[in-house]
Amino acid sequence: MSDTPVKQQSTTAFYGQAVASFAVALAATAAGIYHLRTDGWVRAFLGIAVLYLVTSAFTLAKVIRDRQEAGRIVSRVDQARLEKLLAEHDPFEKL
């Protein structure tokens, strides 16, 4: 009666592609900032901005994942309570 959802996992290829894409994007941005024809403090500011953006993106992804997992747990608890009530209910019992 209870359906246990299958835990979905990313494939190794998808994980590798995500890591490679992140590395290429970060390297390309760093190379672009390095080759700018401007003062060092401007390049340093842009470098710090990129690092801040990356850490913010990781934090946002973690918060979204945590909220989604918490929602799944609450949903499973509610489903278990409903199944228990339905299992204990006898429609032919006199009130």
Side-chain angles (χ1 to χ4, degrees):
M1 183 168 201
S2 70
D3 297 324
T4 304
V6 177
K7 185 175 181 180
Q8 294 180 353
Q9 260 184 340
S10 300
T11 63
T12 305
F14 181 74
Y15 179 77
Q17 186 262 339
V19 170
S21 175
F22 175 76
V24 167
L26 192 60
T29 304
I33 291 172
Y34 179 74
H35 290 293
L36 278 176
R37 294 183 183 182
T38 186
D39 293 334
W41 71 269
V42 173
R43 286 189 296 222
F45 174 78
L46 291 175
I48 294 295
V50 167
L51 291 177
Y52 180 64
L53 180 63
V54 168
T55 58
S56 297
F58 278 115
T59 303
L60 178 63
K62 183 186 178 313
V63 167
I64 290 171
R65 184 200 64 205
D66 290 349
R67 289 183 104 192
Q68 183 181 14
E69 287 178 354
R72 263 194 244 149
I73 291 171
V74 169
S75 175
R76 291 189 74 186
V77 168
D78 288 342
Q79 183 181 5
R81 286 181 183 157
L82 177 64
E83 287 179 3
K84 181 182 175 197
L85 284 172
L86 289 174
E88 292 174 350
H89 177 68
D90 183 8
F92 300 110
E93 180 181 326
K94 291 185 180 182
L95 296 176

